[in-house]
Amino acid sequence: MTTQAQHALPAPKAQRLPIQTGEVLEIALNKLKASPRNVRRVGHSAQDIEARAASIRHKGLLQPLVVEPELDAGGGASGFYLVTIGEGRRQALRLLAKRKLLSKAEPVRCVVDTLNDPGEISLDENTSRCDMHPADEFEAWKDLSERKGYSVEEIAARSGVSPKIVRQRLRLGAVAPALLDIYREGGLTLDQVTAFAVSPDAERQMQVYAQLAPHQRQTYAIRRAMTEAKVAADDPRALYVGVDAYVAAGGALLVDLFTEAGEGWLEDVALLDRLVAEKLQAQAVALREAEGWKWTAAYLTYPHDHGCSRIWEQALPRPPEEEAERQALQAERQDLIDGYPEVADLTEEAEARLSQIEEDLDALANTFGFDPQEKARAGAFVVLANDGEARIERGYVRPEDEPPAEVEPEAATDGQAPAPDEADPEGGDEDDDDGPGEVEEPLGEANAPISPRIRADLTAHRSMALRNALAQDPDLALVALTHALLLRVFRGVGGYASCLDVKLGSRNLAADGVGIEDGAAARANAERHEAWARQMPSDPEAYWAFVVGLDVDSRMSLMAHCVSLSLDAVRGWDNRPMAWKHADRLASALDLDMSDWWSPTAERYLGAVTKGQIVDAVAEGVSPEAAERLTGLRKTEMIAAAQPQLVAARWLPACLRTPGRPLPWVQAADEAKTAEPGTAPDEADEAEAPDPAEAVEDRSAAA
């Protein structure tokens, strides 16, 4: 491309010689038109035009356009030229002119062709071209960067592509040359090369290629192996410290250039762990100083083997004036209620006053806190939760800080040798016969304790009688059971504080369920437990009176909470088929819908199963057509497409389904089918309604 000062525009038609085929002309840009005989019907994309414009601006027009003169209706030359080859370059020049970077009459170097058929040479131009192999392209980009010293932004400006694309191509060009050669020979796909390029470490790339067998070189497996010694940016540790703080401390960050979200990994794991430990410890120290605990300790995960007992918040005493106000409000409320036989008889003024009294009582509700004396011997854990936040667990008492247990005086003789008067006073055998007469037993002390053997004999009879009596009083049995469970659950004791030999275990579900402690169900359980714990007396001796004082509904709710903590329906390596069937029966009786508590997200399920299992899930939960659209996608793309569909359908794996309970996605499909125009609901019901008994059996078998 040249300027107007260097080359004059074509002479007026009256002064020119006839145009010859192959002649090179400098034609003004505004005299060039798109040819109607160009075989390309799908136009160039805006991105392609932008890239060509950037190239022309920095390097000039490297290839001339092929044109033919336009003829008017009378067969004469119109003065315009039709572009047979080079329409993309013409549009790029027009874009530069629109941006005032070129003149609208800028001379453009063109080759005239009036001999060949325009359609045929346009077809040759668009079909005979052979693109270079991507590996050659990647290495060429890398060479341009290294040899010319261009920055990413400068290369992007000169080529008309985004800096992100430049970074991707440079990263692919940095893949180990041996792997690019294998790619050229067809031994690797572009997706596999992209997975290796997650990290620019060529040595590590070759190690991963060598350690993975050919059938193991799936894209996700390569990516996982390339980053297995690194920490993902969404790891709880990274979320807690913050990527910015990690980088500011000198940590190296690896960013995946080939995903939309720009996944990243923190490469210096030791630095990250140190930053996490320091931040947790600082938070623990601040907690101890602010709240007055005897000790605080920081942990990455909750220390289930801590061996501590636990104290709970109690209702704090109110100031005398607040207590007097509360009692006065309660008395006024009761007087208002007693003044009207029926609630419907309340006047507007009475209803308004009752409402105000309830608000005032709510404002005077109990406030809860730890007893300062108990806090002086207790502590708290600061634990990193799965959501990247610090979770504080308060009220733990170490064994050495437990108050000494009170020993009953009579119990002091247990395990000791019997008193002299309880054995043979002479030290001989009771069965010895020393003569024709019996040996007279000494009178002994009247207040001497009886022997453990005699006491055990007597209380065994009493225990049997108590069993018989308790069996005939279900209400009191429920009280006794609840009392025993409370001692186990809230005080960690039972055998020495209750005469019922009730043992209650609780499996650590967090060891099997990743992130389970931060889930909705776990939070609901913890909140309910804390609400009950606040009401518990601090003295185990007072538990019996507490249970007896509860109304029946509260007592049943409290017992249900304690029993629920022992439930273990985990299907792991152990084999407990009868327990699993019992869990299914419980789920059916409770009408449990796990869709309310669990969703098939990438973190919880989709990222851990195979692509085939994801496709099967979509086929079952959404439709076979939706599953078909997922085939051929990379796993990350497949998960991104499948997750919202499966979550919306409330799809569940087989082990989470409740036998006998309709599946949400099946119900939705049936409702949609029934709602189709032209379908009579009654006819559809008659044609498709299965036998209820068979449906239950089918769902149970599937689950």
Side-chain angles (χ1 to χ4, degrees), residues 295-554:
W295 57 267
T296 53
Y299 289 91
L300 278 177
T301 58
Y302 182 80
H304 291 280
D305 57 347
H306 52 70
C308 299
S309 62
R310 193 166 188 181
I311 60 174
W312 299 92
E313 290 182 328
Q314 303 291 325
L316 299 177
R318 299 186 186 87
E321 59 274 12
E322 285 189 9
E323 181 61 25
E325 182 182 358
R326 189 180 69 86
Q327 292 180 2
L329 288 170
Q330 289 177 333
E332 183 182 355
R333 180 180 61 182
Q334 192 61 44
D335 290 342
L336 275 173
I337 294 174
D338 293 343
Y340 296 90
E342 300 292 338
V343 176
D345 297 335
L346 287 170
T347 64
E348 292 185 3
E349 293 78 7
E351 286 185 356
R353 181 54 187 160
L354 275 177
S355 177
Q356 184 60 48
I357 289 174
E358 294 296 341
E359 291 182 9
D360 293 342
L361 285 173
D362 288 342
L364 294 171
N366 288 333
T367 56
F368 295 89
F370 290 94
D371 185 292
Q373 293 183 349
E374 290 189 324
K375 286 178 68 173
R377 62 184 177 87
F381 296 120
V382 180
V383 183
L384 180 61
N386 288 292
D387 59 356
E389 298 291 336
R391 188 174 79 246
I392 299 174
E393 299 284 349
R394 299 173 173 87
Y396 290 89
V397 181
R398 290 169 172 168
E400 60 269 24
D401 296 325
E402 290 282 2
E406 297 182 2
V407 181
E408 297 181 6
E410 186 179 354
T413 62
D414 290 353
Q416 298 179 2
D421 63 318
E422 296 174 353
D424 185 356
E426 301 296 330
D429 192 340
E430 292 180 356
D431 295 333
D432 289 348
D433 188 0
D434 293 335
E438 296 182 356
V439 177
E440 184 67 21
E441 181 177 341
L443 179 61
E445 298 180 10
N447 60 350
I450 61 176
S451 69
R453 181 186 62 78
I454 297 175
R455 187 170 65 244
D457 176 78
L458 297 175
T459 53
H461 287 275
R462 181 171 183 262
S463 297
M464 186 61 71
L466 280 172
R467 287 183 180 182
N468 178 62
L470 190 60
Q472 300 178 61
D473 192 337
D475 291 337
L476 192 59
L478 175 62
V479 173
L481 174 61
T482 305
H483 171 255
L485 293 176
L486 292 188
L487 291 169
R488 287 285 184 185
V489 171
F490 293 98
R491 301 298 300 183
V493 299
Y496 76 83
S498 170
C499 63
L500 268 61
D501 188 14
V502 176
K503 296 179 173 61
L504 188 77
S506 181
R507 178 173 184 149
N508 174 23
L509 299 179
D512 298 291
V514 178
I516 194 172
E517 293 175 327
D518 301 315
R523 289 197 301 269
N525 287 335
E527 290 170 0
R528 181 173 54 253
H529 190 84
E530 184 175 356
W532 278 116
R534 286 175 169 178
Q535 305 176 51
M536 295 297 153
S538 57
D539 183 5
E541 289 285 342
Y543 271 44
W544 177 260
F546 171 77
V547 177
V548 171
L550 292 174
D551 60 79
V552 175
D553 290 341
S554 298

Side-chain angles (χ1 to χ4, degrees), residues 71-77:
L71 303 178
D72 57 22

Side-chain angles (χ1 to χ4, degrees), residues 17 40 96 98 194 213 222 224 268 290 323 429 440 454 473 561 574 589 613 625 642 697 699:
L17 297 173
R40 181 188 286 271
L96 293 173
K98 183 178 180 181
T194 302
I222 297 172
R224 184 172 58 206
D268 195 338
E323 181 61 25
D429 192 340
E440 184 67 21
I454 297 175
D473 192 337
H561 171 66
D574 50 348
Q613 289 169 317
E625 294 77 15
E697 292 177 0
R699 284 192 291 269

